[in-house]
């Protein structure tokens, strides 16, 4: 797996952009899920973890009420997503951050928890994947955090086809 460069931003996705977060993880980007938290907790976490906040909530900054956040307001980095649609959202994030799609990094992060995936042997996943999948696949990955197993299936080609306009 190719690690992100030191300059490449890490993201925090609020619960309004969960689908975008999953797709950015498909691209190999570090996109932590925020879960359902109040606005101040969301902004505090983005600041504490040096993450770019991804949101559709354009008036978020105006709602800072926690005293400890007000002095740090200028440190907060965020992207307010303009479109309600997935592909324009991905395009906006890539354009604003000047990140290029790197085929070496595709499918290297857990879509659920954001942790990097590690190679797993076929023997290691026996009994954890459908029998048919096990009979036709030889390469697997496993999330080091939540233990979810991944493999290249027909969905992989559909994902790549959907991303094709962004790769041009």
């Amino acid at each position: 797996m190719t690690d992100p460069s030191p300059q490449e931003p890490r993201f925090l996705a609020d619960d309004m952009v969960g689908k975008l977060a999953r797709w950015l993880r498909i691209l190999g980007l570090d996109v932590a899920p925020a879960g359902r938290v109040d606005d101040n907790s969301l902004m505090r976490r983005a600041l504490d973890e040096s993450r770019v906040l991804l949101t559709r909530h354009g008036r978020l900054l105006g709602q800072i009420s926690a005293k400890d956040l007000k002095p740090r307001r200028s440190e907060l980095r965020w992207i307010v997503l303009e479109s309600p649609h997935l592909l324009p959202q991905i395009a906006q994030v890539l354009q604003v951050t000047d990140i290029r799609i790197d085929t070496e990094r595709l499918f290297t992060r857990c879509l659920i928890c954001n942790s990097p995936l590690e190679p797993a042997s076929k023997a290691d996943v026996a009994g954890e994947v459908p029998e048919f999948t096990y009979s036709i696949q030889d390469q697997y990955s496993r999330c080091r955090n939540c233990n979810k197993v991944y493999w290249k299936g027909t969905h992989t080609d559909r994902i790549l086809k959907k991303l094709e306009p962004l790769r041009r």
Side-chain angles (χ1 to χ4, degrees), residues 40-158:
N40 284 310
S41 297
L42 183 68
M43 290 182 278
R44 186 176 291 112
R45 181 171 174 201
L47 285 164
D48 290 347
E49 296 179 14
S50 299
R51 291 183 178 273
V52 176
L53 181 58
L54 300 174
T55 185
R56 294 258 312 130
H57 185 34
R59 294 179 292 200
L60 185 68
L61 274 182
Q63 298 181 1
I64 293 177
S65 60
K67 290 179 182 169
D68 66 316
L69 287 178
K70 288 182 181 181
R72 299 176 69 193
R73 178 186 220 153
S74 63
E75 298 171 42
L76 187 62
R77 297 175 302 151
W78 72 96
I79 298 173
V80 177
L81 299 153
E82 298 164 2
S83 175
H85 304 290
L86 179 63
L87 285 181
Q89 288 178 349
I90 296 170
Q92 181 183 357
V93 170
L94 295 177
Q95 181 182 17
V96 167
T97 59
D98 199 31
I99 293 174
R100 303 284 177 249
I101 294 176
D102 179 355
T103 55
E104 295 293 314
R105 285 196 345 196
L106 295 176
F107 308 106
T108 58
R109 287 199 166 268
C110 180
L111 302 184
I112 309 301
C113 72
N114 189 47
S115 293
L117 300 178
E118 297 177 337
S121 72
K122 188 168 183 163
D124 288 343
V125 302
E128 296 182 59
V129 298
E131 277 185 46
F132 179 73
T133 300
Y134 190 78
S135 71
I136 63 167
Q137 293 294 329
D138 291 322
Q139 294 184 345
Y140 299 90
S141 297
R142 182 186 300 275
C143 174
R144 62 173 78 158
N145 182 50
C146 71
N147 227 19
K148 181 167 175 48
V149 177
Y150 293 88
W151 60 91
K152 184 178 179 181
T154 56
H155 62 283
T156 307
D157 293 332
R158 287 193 305 272

